[in-house]
Coordinates of all heavy atoms in Angstrom, one line a residue:
M1 N -1.3 56.9 37.4 CA -1.4 56.3 38.7 C -0.6 55.0 38.7 O -0.7 54.2 37.7 CB -2.9 56.0 39.0 CG -3.1 55.4 40.4 SD -4.8 54.9 40.7 CE -5.3 56.3 41.6
N2 N 0.0 54.7 39.7 CA 0.7 53.5 39.9 C -0.2 52.3 39.8 O -1.3 52.2 40.4 CB 1.4 53.5 41.3 CG 2.1 52.3 41.7 OD1 1.7 51.2 41.4 ND2 3.1 52.5 42.5
D3 N 0.1 51.3 38.9 CA -0.8 50.2 38.7 C -1.0 49.3 40.0 O -2.0 48.8 40.2 CB -0.4 49.4 37.5 CG 0.8 48.5 37.7 OD1 1.8 48.9 38.4 OD2 0.9 47.4 37.1
T4 N 0.0 49.2 40.8 CA -0.1 48.5 42.1 C -1.2 49.2 42.9 O -2.1 48.5 43.5 CB 1.2 48.4 42.8 OG1 2.2 47.7 42.0 CG2 1.1 47.7 44.1
R5 N -1.1 50.5 43.1 CA -2.0 51.2 43.9 C -3.4 51.1 43.3 O -4.4 50.9 44.0 CB -1.6 52.7 44.0 CG -2.6 53.7 44.6 CD -3.0 53.4 46.1 NE -2.0 52.8 46.9 CZ -2.2 52.1 48.0 NH1 -3.5 51.8 48.4 NH2 -1.3 51.6 48.8
A6 N -3.5 51.2 42.0 CA -4.8 51.0 41.3 C -5.4 49.6 41.6 O -6.6 49.5 41.8 CB -4.7 51.3 39.8
M7 N -4.6 48.6 41.5 CA -5.1 47.2 41.8 C -5.5 47.1 43.2 O -6.6 46.5 43.5 CB -4.0 46.2 41.5 CG -3.9 45.9 40.0 SD -2.8 44.5 39.6 CE -1.2 45.3 39.9
V8 N -4.8 47.7 44.2 CA -5.2 47.6 45.6 C -6.5 48.3 45.8 O -7.4 47.7 46.4 CB -4.1 48.3 46.5 CG1 -4.6 48.5 47.9 CG2 -2.8 47.4 46.5
D9 N -6.6 49.5 45.2 CA -7.9 50.2 45.4 C -9.1 49.5 44.8 O -10.1 49.4 45.3 CB -7.8 51.7 44.8 CG -6.8 52.5 45.5 OD1 -6.5 52.2 46.7 OD2 -6.4 53.6 45.0
F10 N -8.8 49.0 43.6 CA -9.9 48.2 42.9 C -10.3 47.0 43.7 O -11.5 46.8 43.9 CB -9.4 47.8 41.5 CG -10.3 46.9 40.7 CD1 -11.4 47.5 40.1 CD2 -10.2 45.6 40.7 CE1 -12.3 46.7 39.4 CE2 -11.1 44.8 40.0 CZ -12.2 45.4 39.3
L11 N -9.3 46.2 44.1 CA -9.7 45.0 44.9 C -10.3 45.3 46.2 O -11.3 44.7 46.6 CB -8.5 44.1 45.1 CG -8.0 43.4 43.8 CD1 -6.6 42.7 44.1 CD2 -9.0 42.4 43.3
R12 N -9.8 46.3 46.9 CA -10.4 46.8 48.1 C -11.9 47.1 47.9 O -12.8 46.7 48.7 CB -9.7 47.9 48.7 CG -10.0 48.3 50.1 CD -9.2 49.4 50.6 NE -7.9 49.0 51.0 CZ -6.7 49.6 50.7 NH1 -6.8 50.8 50.1 NH2 -5.6 49.2 51.1
D13 N -12.2 47.9 46.8 CA -13.6 48.2 46.5 C -14.4 47.0 46.2 O -15.6 46.9 46.6 CB -13.6 49.2 45.3 CG -13.1 50.6 45.7 OD1 -13.0 50.9 46.9 OD2 -12.8 51.4 44.8
K14 N -13.8 46.1 45.4 CA -14.5 44.8 45.1 C -14.9 44.0 46.3 O -16.0 43.5 46.5 CB -13.7 43.9 44.2 CG -13.7 44.4 42.7 CD -15.0 44.0 42.1 CE -15.0 44.3 40.7 NZ -16.4 44.2 40.1
Y15 N -13.9 43.9 47.3 CA -14.2 43.1 48.5 C -15.2 43.8 49.3 O -16.1 43.2 49.9 CB -12.9 42.9 49.3 CG -11.9 42.0 48.6 CD1 -10.6 42.3 48.6 CD2 -12.3 40.9 47.8 CE1 -9.6 41.5 48.0 CE2 -11.4 40.1 47.2 CZ -10.1 40.4 47.2 OH -9.2 39.6 46.6
R16 N -15.2 45.1 49.4 CA -16.2 45.9 50.2 C -17.6 45.8 49.6 O -18.6 45.6 50.3 CB -15.8 47.3 50.4 CG -14.6 47.5 51.3 CD -14.2 49.0 51.4 NE -13.1 49.1 52.3 CZ -12.2 50.1 52.3 NH1 -12.3 51.0 51.4 NH2 -11.2 50.1 53.2
D17 N -17.6 45.8 48.2 CA -18.9 45.7 47.5 C -19.4 44.3 47.7 O -20.6 44.1 47.9 CB -18.7 46.0 46.1 CG -20.0 45.9 45.3 OD1 -20.9 46.6 45.7 OD2 -20.1 45.2 44.3
R18 N -18.6 43.3 47.7 CA -19.0 41.9 47.9 C -19.6 41.7 49.4 O -20.6 41.0 49.6 CB -17.9 40.9 47.7 CG -18.3 39.5 47.8 CD -17.2 38.5 47.3 NE -17.0 38.8 45.9 CZ -15.8 38.4 45.3 NH1 -14.9 37.8 46.0 NH2 -15.6 38.6 44.0
I19 N -19.0 42.4 50.3 CA -19.5 42.4 51.7 C -20.9 43.0 51.7 O -21.8 42.4 52.3 CB -18.6 43.1 52.7 CG1 -17.3 42.3 52.9 CG2 -19.2 43.3 54.0 CD1 -16.2 43.1 53.6
R20 N -21.0 44.2 51.1 CA -22.3 44.9 51.1 C -23.4 44.0 50.4 O -24.5 43.9 50.9 CB -22.2 46.2 50.4 CG -21.6 47.3 51.3 CD -21.7 48.7 50.6 NE -21.0 48.7 49.4 CZ -19.7 49.1 49.2 NH1 -19.0 49.4 50.3 NH2 -19.1 49.1 48.1
T21 N -23.1 43.4 49.3 CA -24.0 42.6 48.6 C -24.4 41.4 49.4 O -25.6 41.0 49.5 CB -23.4 42.2 47.2 OG1 -23.1 43.4 46.5 CG2 -24.4 41.3 46.4
S22 N -23.4 40.7 50.0 CA -23.7 39.5 50.8 C -24.6 39.9 52.0 O -25.5 39.1 52.3 CB -22.4 38.9 51.2 OG -21.7 38.4 50.2
E23 N -24.3 41.0 52.6 CA -25.1 41.4 53.8 C -26.5 41.7 53.3 O -27.5 41.4 54.0 CB -24.5 42.6 54.4 CG -23.3 42.3 55.2 CD -22.5 43.6 55.7 OE1 -22.7 44.7 55.2 OE2 -21.8 43.4 56.7
S24 N -26.7 42.4 52.2 CA -28.0 42.7 51.7 C -28.8 41.4 51.3 O -30.0 41.3 51.7 CB -27.9 43.6 50.4 OG -29.1 43.9 49.9
I25 N -28.2 40.5 50.7 CA -28.9 39.2 50.4 C -29.3 38.5 51.7 O -30.4 38.0 51.8 CB -28.0 38.3 49.5 CG1 -27.9 39.0 48.1 CG2 -28.6 36.9 49.4 CD1 -26.8 38.4 47.2
H26 N -28.3 38.5 52.6 CA -28.6 37.8 53.9 C -29.8 38.5 54.6 O -30.7 37.8 55.0 CB -27.4 37.8 54.8 CG -27.6 37.3 56.2 ND1 -27.9 36.0 56.4 CD2 -27.7 37.9 57.4 CE1 -28.1 35.8 57.7 NE2 -28.0 37.0 58.3
N27 N -29.8 39.8 54.6 CA -30.9 40.5 55.3 C -32.2 40.3 54.5 O -33.3 40.1 55.2 CB -30.6 42.0 55.3 CG -29.5 42.4 56.3 OD1 -29.3 41.6 57.3 ND2 -28.9 43.5 56.1
D28 N -32.2 40.2 53.2 CA -33.4 39.9 52.5 C -33.9 38.5 52.7 O -35.1 38.2 52.7 CB -33.2 40.1 51.0 CG -33.1 41.6 50.6 OD1 -33.4 42.5 51.5 OD2 -32.7 41.9 49.5
V29 N -33.0 37.5 52.9 CA -33.5 36.2 53.2 C -34.1 36.1 54.6 O -35.1 35.6 54.8 CB -32.3 35.2 53.1 CG1 -32.6 33.8 53.8 CG2 -31.9 35.0 51.7
V30 N -33.4 36.8 55.6 CA -33.9 36.8 57.0 C -35.2 37.4 57.1 O -36.1 36.9 57.8 CB -32.8 37.4 57.9 CG1 -33.4 37.7 59.3 CG2 -31.6 36.6 58.0
T31 N -35.5 38.5 56.4 CA -36.7 39.2 56.5 C -37.8 38.7 55.6 O -38.9 39.2 55.6 CB -36.5 40.7 56.2 OG1 -36.0 40.9 54.8 CG2 -35.6 41.4 57.2
G32 N -37.5 37.7 54.7 CA -38.5 37.1 53.8 C -38.6 37.8 52.5 O -39.5 37.4 51.7
R33 N -37.8 38.8 52.2 CA -37.9 39.5 50.9 C -37.4 38.6 49.8 O -37.8 38.7 48.6 CB -37.2 40.8 50.9 CG -37.9 41.9 51.7 CD -37.3 43.2 51.5 NE -36.0 43.3 52.1 CZ -35.7 43.8 53.3 NH1 -36.7 44.3 54.1 NH2 -34.5 43.8 53.8
I34 N -36.5 37.6 50.1 CA -36.1 36.6 49.2 C -36.6 35.3 49.7 O -36.4 34.9 50.9 CB -34.6 36.5 49.1 CG1 -34.0 37.8 48.4 CG2 -34.1 35.3 48.3 CD1 -32.5 37.9 48.3
P35 N -37.3 34.5 48.9 CA -37.8 33.2 49.4 C -36.7 32.3 49.8 O -35.6 32.3 49.2 CB -38.6 32.6 48.2 CG -38.8 33.8 47.3 CD -37.7 34.8 47.5
A36 N -36.9 31.5 50.8 CA -35.9 30.5 51.3 C -35.8 29.4 50.3 O -36.8 28.9 49.8 CB -36.3 30.0 52.7
L37 N -34.5 28.9 50.2 CA -34.3 27.7 49.4 C -35.0 26.5 50.0 O -34.8 26.3 51.2 CB -32.8 27.5 49.3 CG -32.0 28.5 48.6 CD1 -30.5 28.2 48.7 CD2 -32.4 28.7 47.1
D38 N -35.7 25.8 49.3 CA -36.3 24.6 49.8 C -37.2 24.9 51.0 O -37.5 24.0 51.8 CB -35.3 23.5 50.2 CG -34.5 23.0 49.0 OD1 -35.0 23.0 47.9 OD2 -33.3 22.7 49.3
G39 N -37.7 26.1 51.1 CA -38.6 26.5 52.2 C -38.0 26.5 53.6 O -38.7 26.7 54.5
D40 N -36.7 26.3 53.7 CA -36.1 26.3 55.0 C -35.3 27.7 55.2 O -34.1 27.8 54.8 CB -35.1 25.2 55.1 CG -34.5 25.0 56.5 OD1 -34.6 25.9 57.3 OD2 -34.0 23.9 56.8
R41 N -36.0 28.6 55.8 CA -35.4 30.0 55.9 C -34.1 30.0 56.8 O -33.2 30.6 56.5 CB -36.4 31.0 56.5 CG -35.9 32.4 56.6 CD -37.0 33.4 56.8 NE -38.2 33.2 56.0 CZ -38.3 33.5 54.7 NH1 -37.2 33.9 54.1 NH2 -39.4 33.3 54.1
R42 N -34.2 29.2 57.9 CA -33.0 29.2 58.8 C -31.8 28.6 58.1 O -30.7 29.2 58.2 CB -33.4 28.3 60.0 CG -32.3 28.3 61.1 CD -32.6 27.4 62.2 NE -32.7 26.0 61.8 CZ -31.7 25.2 61.5 NH1 -30.5 25.6 61.6 NH2 -31.9 23.9 61.2
K43 N -32.0 27.6 57.3 CA -30.8 27.0 56.6 C -30.3 27.9 55.5 O -29.1 28.1 55.4 CB -31.3 25.7 55.9 CG -30.2 24.9 55.3 CD -30.8 23.5 54.8 CE -29.8 22.6 54.3 NZ -30.3 21.3 53.9
H44 N -31.2 28.6 54.8 CA -30.8 29.6 53.8 C -30.1 30.8 54.5 O -29.1 31.3 53.9 CB -32.1 30.0 53.0 CG -31.7 30.7 51.8 ND1 -32.7 31.2 50.9 CD2 -30.6 31.1 51.2 CE1 -32.1 31.8 49.9 NE2 -30.9 31.8 50.0
A45 N -30.6 31.2 55.6 CA -30.0 32.3 56.3 C -28.6 31.9 56.8 O -27.7 32.8 56.7 CB -30.8 32.7 57.5
E46 N -28.4 30.7 57.2 CA -27.1 30.3 57.6 C -26.1 30.3 56.4 O -25.0 30.7 56.5 CB -27.1 28.9 58.2 CG -27.7 28.8 59.6 CD -27.9 27.4 60.1 OE1 -27.5 26.4 59.5 OE2 -28.5 27.3 61.2
F47 N -26.6 29.8 55.3 CA -25.8 29.8 54.1 C -25.4 31.2 53.6 O -24.3 31.5 53.3 CB -26.6 29.1 52.9 CG -25.9 29.2 51.6 CD1 -24.9 28.3 51.4 CD2 -26.3 30.0 50.6 CE1 -24.2 28.3 50.1 CE2 -25.7 30.1 49.4 CZ -24.6 29.2 49.2
T48 N -26.4 32.2 53.7 CA -26.1 33.5 53.2 C -25.2 34.2 54.3 O -24.3 35.0 53.9 CB -27.3 34.4 53.0 OG1 -28.1 34.4 54.2 CG2 -28.1 33.8 51.8
L49 N -25.3 33.9 55.5 CA -24.4 34.4 56.5 C -23.0 34.0 56.3 O -22.0 34.7 56.5 CB -24.9 34.1 58.0 CG -24.1 34.7 59.1 CD1 -24.1 36.3 59.0 CD2 -24.7 34.3 60.4
Q50 N -22.8 32.7 55.9 CA -21.5 32.2 55.6 C -20.9 33.0 54.4 O -19.7 33.3 54.5 CB -21.6 30.7 55.2 CG -20.3 30.1 54.8 CD -20.4 28.7 54.4 OE1 -21.4 28.0 54.6 NE2 -19.3 28.1 53.9
S51 N -21.7 33.4 53.5 CA -21.2 34.2 52.4 C -20.7 35.6 52.9 O -19.7 36.1 52.4 CB -22.3 34.4 51.3 OG -22.6 33.2 50.7
V52 N -21.4 36.1 53.8 CA -21.0 37.4 54.4 C -19.6 37.2 55.1 O -18.7 38.0 54.9 CB -22.0 37.9 55.5 CG1 -21.5 39.1 56.3 CG2 -23.3 38.3 54.8
H53 N -19.5 36.2 55.9 CA -18.2 35.9 56.6 C -17.1 35.6 55.6 O -16.0 36.1 55.8 CB -18.4 34.7 57.5 CG -19.3 35.1 58.7 ND1 -19.9 34.1 59.4 CD2 -19.7 36.2 59.2 CE1 -20.7 34.7 60.4 NE2 -20.5 36.0 60.3
E54 N -17.4 34.9 54.5 CA -16.3 34.7 53.5 C -15.9 36.0 52.9 O -14.7 36.2 52.7 CB -16.8 33.7 52.4 CG -17.0 32.3 52.9 CD -17.7 31.4 51.9 OE1 -18.1 31.9 50.9 OE2 -17.9 30.2 52.3
A55 N -16.8 36.9 52.6 CA -16.5 38.2 52.0 C -15.7 39.0 52.9 O -14.7 39.6 52.5 CB -17.7 38.9 51.5
Q56 N -16.0 39.0 54.2 CA -15.3 39.8 55.2 C -13.9 39.2 55.4 O -12.9 39.9 55.5 CB -16.0 39.7 56.5 CG -17.3 40.5 56.5 CD -18.2 40.3 57.8 OE1 -18.1 39.2 58.4 NE2 -19.0 41.2 58.1
S57 N -13.8 37.9 55.3 CA -12.5 37.2 55.5 C -11.5 37.6 54.4 O -10.3 37.8 54.6 CB -12.6 35.7 55.5 OG -13.3 35.3 56.6
M58 N -12.0 37.7 53.1 CA -11.1 38.1 52.0 C -10.5 39.5 52.3 O -9.3 39.7 52.1 CB -11.9 38.1 50.7 CG -12.1 36.7 50.1 SD -10.6 35.8 49.8 CE -9.8 36.8 48.6
L59 N -11.3 40.4 52.7 CA -10.8 41.8 53.0 C -9.8 41.7 54.2 O -8.8 42.4 54.2 CB -11.9 42.8 53.2 CG -11.5 44.2 53.4 CD1 -10.7 44.7 52.2 CD2 -12.7 45.1 53.7
E60 N -10.2 41.0 55.2 CA -9.3 40.9 56.4 C -8.0 40.2 56.1 O -6.9 40.6 56.6 CB -10.0 40.1 57.5 CG -11.2 40.9 58.1 CD -12.0 40.0 59.1 OE1 -11.6 38.9 59.4 OE2 -13.1 40.5 59.4
L61 N -8.0 39.3 55.1 CA -6.8 38.6 54.7 C -5.9 39.5 53.8 O -4.7 39.6 53.9 CB -7.1 37.3 54.0 CG -5.9 36.5 53.5 CD1 -5.1 36.0 54.7 CD2 -6.5 35.3 52.7
F62 N -6.6 40.2 52.9 CA -6.0 41.1 51.9 C -5.2 42.2 52.5 O -4.0 42.4 52.1 CB -7.1 41.7 51.0 CG -6.6 42.6 49.9 CD1 -5.9 42.1 48.9 CD2 -7.0 43.9 49.9 CE1 -5.5 42.9 47.9 CE2 -6.6 44.8 48.9 CZ -5.8 44.3 47.9
E63 N -5.7 42.9 53.5 CA -5.0 44.1 54.1 C -3.7 43.7 54.8 O -2.7 44.2 54.4 CB -6.0 44.8 55.0 CG -7.2 45.5 54.3 CD -6.8 46.6 53.4 OE1 -5.7 47.2 53.5 OE2 -7.7 47.0 52.6
P64 N -3.7 42.8 55.8 CA -2.4 42.6 56.5 C -1.5 41.7 55.7 O -0.3 41.7 55.9 CB -2.9 42.0 57.8 CG -4.2 41.3 57.5 CD -4.8 42.2 56.4
S65 N -2.0 40.8 54.9 CA -1.2 39.8 54.3 C -0.6 40.2 53.0 O 0.5 39.8 52.6 CB -1.9 38.5 54.0 OG -2.4 37.9 55.2
I66 N -1.3 41.1 52.3 CA -0.8 41.5 51.0 C -0.5 43.0 51.0 O 0.7 43.5 50.7 CB -1.8 41.2 49.8 CG1 -1.9 39.7 49.8 CG2 -1.3 41.7 48.5 CD1 -3.0 39.1 48.9
V67 N -1.5 43.8 51.2 CA -1.3 45.3 51.2 C -0.2 45.8 52.1 O 0.7 46.6 51.7 CB -2.6 46.0 51.5 CG1 -2.4 47.6 51.5 CG2 -3.7 45.6 50.5
A68 N -0.1 45.3 53.3 CA 0.9 45.7 54.2 C 2.3 45.4 53.8 O 3.3 46.0 54.2 CB 0.6 45.1 55.6
R69 N 2.4 44.4 52.9 CA 3.8 44.0 52.5 C 4.2 44.5 51.1 O 5.3 44.3 50.7 CB 3.9 42.5 52.5 CG 3.8 41.9 54.0 CD 3.8 40.4 54.0 NE 4.0 39.9 55.3 CZ 3.1 39.9 56.3 NH1 1.9 40.3 56.0 NH2 3.3 39.4 57.5
L70 N 3.3 45.2 50.4 CA 3.6 45.7 49.1 C 4.7 46.8 49.3 O 4.6 47.6 50.2 CB 2.4 46.3 48.5 CG 1.4 45.3 48.0 CD1 0.1 46.0 47.6 CD2 1.9 44.5 46.8
G71 N 5.7 46.8 48.4 CA 6.7 47.8 48.4 C 7.9 47.5 49.4 O 8.8 48.2 49.5
T72 N 7.7 46.4 50.1 CA 8.8 46.0 51.1 C 9.9 45.3 50.3 O 9.7 44.7 49.3 CB 8.3 45.2 52.2 OG1 7.8 44.0 51.7 CG2 7.3 45.9 53.0
A73 N 11.1 45.4 50.8 CA 12.3 44.8 50.1 C 12.3 43.3 50.4 O 11.7 42.8 51.3 CB 13.6 45.4 50.6
G74 N 12.9 42.6 49.5 CA 13.1 41.2 49.7 C 11.9 40.3 49.2 O 11.0 40.8 48.5
P75 N 11.9 39.1 49.6 CA 11.0 38.1 49.1 C 9.5 38.4 49.5 O 8.6 38.2 48.7 CB 11.4 36.8 49.7 CG 12.6 37.0 50.4 CD 13.0 38.4 50.4
M76 N 9.3 39.0 50.7 CA 8.0 39.2 51.1 C 7.3 40.3 50.2 O 6.1 40.1 49.9 CB 7.9 39.7 52.6 CG 8.3 38.6 53.6 SD 7.4 37.1 53.4 CE 5.8 37.6 54.0
G77 N 8.0 41.3 49.8 CA 7.4 42.3 48.9 C 7.1 41.7 47.6 O 6.1 42.0 47.0
A78 N 8.1 40.9 47.1 CA 7.8 40.2 45.8 C 6.7 39.3 45.8 O 5.8 39.2 44.9 CB 9.1 39.5 45.4
I79 N 6.5 38.5 46.9 CA 5.4 37.6 47.0 C 4.1 38.4 47.1 O 3.1 38.0 46.5 CB 5.6 36.7 48.3 CG1 6.7 35.7 48.0 CG2 4.3 35.9 48.6 CD1 7.2 35.0 49.2
A80 N 4.1 39.5 47.9 CA 2.8 40.3 48.0 C 2.4 40.8 46.6 O 1.3 40.8 46.3 CB 3.1 41.4 49.0
E81 N 3.4 41.3 45.9 CA 3.1 41.8 44.5 C 2.6 40.7 43.6 O 1.6 40.9 42.9 CB 4.4 42.4 43.9 CG 4.2 43.0 42.6 CD 3.6 44.4 42.6 OE1 3.7 45.1 43.6 OE2 3.0 44.8 41.6
Q82 N 3.1 39.5 43.7 CA 2.6 38.4 42.9 C 1.2 38.0 43.3 O 0.3 37.8 42.5 CB 3.6 37.2 43.0 CG 3.2 36.0 42.2 CD 4.1 34.9 42.3 OE1 4.8 34.8 43.3 NE2 4.1 34.0 41.4
Q83 N 1.0 38.0 44.6 CA -0.4 37.6 45.1 C -1.4 38.7 44.7 O -2.5 38.3 44.3 CB -0.4 37.5 46.7 CG 0.4 36.3 47.2 CD 0.6 36.3 48.7 OE1 0.7 37.4 49.3 NE2 0.6 35.2 49.3
L84 N -1.0 40.0 44.7 CA -1.9 41.0 44.3 C -2.3 40.8 42.8 O -3.5 40.9 42.5 CB -1.3 42.4 44.5 CG -2.0 43.6 44.0 CD1 -3.3 43.8 44.8 CD2 -1.2 44.8 44.0
R85 N -1.3 40.5 42.0 CA -1.6 40.3 40.6 C -2.5 39.1 40.3 O -3.3 39.1 39.4 CB -0.3 40.3 39.8 CG 0.4 41.6 39.8 CD 1.7 41.7 39.0 NE 2.3 43.0 39.1 CZ 1.9 44.1 38.5 NH1 0.8 44.1 37.8 NH2 2.5 45.2 38.7
I86 N -2.3 38.1 41.1 CA -3.1 36.9 41.0 C -4.5 37.2 41.3 O -5.5 36.8 40.6 CB -2.5 35.7 41.8 CG1 -1.2 35.2 41.2 CG2 -3.5 34.6 42.0 CD1 -0.4 34.3 42.2
L87 N -4.7 37.9 42.4 CA -6.1 38.3 42.8 C -6.8 39.2 41.8 O -8.0 39.1 41.6 CB -6.1 38.9 44.2 CG -5.8 38.0 45.4 CD1 -5.6 38.8 46.7 CD2 -6.8 36.9 45.5
A88 N -6.0 40.1 41.2 CA -6.6 41.0 40.2 C -6.8 40.4 38.9 O -7.7 40.9 38.1 CB -5.6 42.2 40.1
R89 N -6.1 39.3 38.6 CA -6.2 38.7 37.2 C -7.6 38.4 36.7 O -7.9 38.7 35.6 CB -5.4 37.4 37.2 CG -5.2 36.9 35.8 CD -4.4 35.6 35.7 NE -3.0 35.9 36.3 CZ -2.3 35.0 36.9 NH1 -2.8 33.8 37.2 NH2 -1.1 35.3 37.4
P90 N -8.5 37.9 37.5 CA -9.9 37.7 37.0 C -10.6 38.9 36.5 O -11.5 38.8 35.7 CB -10.6 37.0 38.2 CG -9.6 36.5 39.1 CD -8.4 37.4 38.9
F91 N -10.2 40.1 36.9 CA -10.8 41.3 36.6 C -10.2 42.0 35.4 O -10.7 43.1 35.0 CB -10.9 42.2 37.8 CG -11.6 41.6 39.0 CD1 -10.9 41.1 40.0 CD2 -13.0 41.4 39.0 CE1 -11.5 40.5 41.1 CE2 -13.6 40.8 40.0 CZ -12.9 40.4 41.1
L92 N -9.0 41.5 34.9 CA -8.3 42.2 33.9 C -8.7 41.8 32.5 O -9.2 40.8 32.3 CB -6.8 42.0 34.0 CG -6.2 42.5 35.4 CD1 -4.7 42.1 35.4 CD2 -6.3 44.0 35.5

């Protein structure tokens, strides 16, 4: 398998998993299954919702900014390849 394609698939799965995990934690805070930090459920829910939005933003940025440009000629393709490798590096 092409290592670029493997990295894209791997990172896409990681980002989707992070979204699911963040949403699950947020839901558990909102419903009380996870105790609120410092007893302030609203504040804790806002914090966990921010984590959901951050996770969603990574996937939203990844697809059009990197994946869409992979394999294209010129500097944009080279930059996308470099960005992909930088994002994958912590997992290698």
Side-chain angles (χ1 to χ4, degrees):
M1 179 186 267
N2 175 325
D3 73 325
T4 298
R5 174 57 38 205
M7 283 188 282
V8 166
D9 292 342
F10 176 80
L11 288 171
R12 190 178 282 137
D13 289 345
K14 280 288 187 190
Y15 294 141
R16 288 176 179 158
D17 185 52
R18 188 170 293 159
I19 291 168
R20 283 189 297 271
T21 300
S22 297
E23 287 173 337
S24 177
I25 291 168
H26 175 70
N27 290 335
D28 287 349
V29 167
V30 169
T31 60
R33 287 189 294 263
I34 293 178
L37 297 174
D38 298 328
D40 188 343
R41 182 165 319 285
R42 186 183 60 77
K43 188 175 185 178
H44 194 182
E46 288 174 5
F47 175 77
T48 59
L49 185 59
Q50 180 180 349
S51 294
V52 171
H53 292 157
E54 289 170 0
Q56 291 168 334
S57 294
M58 282 302 298
L59 185 58
E60 290 171 11
L61 180 65
F62 180 67
E63 293 293 341
S65 298
I66 297 172
V67 177
R69 290 178 170 79
L70 288 169
T72 60
M76 292 307 290
I79 291 168
E81 183 76 27
Q82 182 180 23
Q83 290 172 329
L84 175 67
R85 293 185 182 286
I86 290 168
L87 290 172
R89 188 178 302 147
F91 303 104
L92 301 176

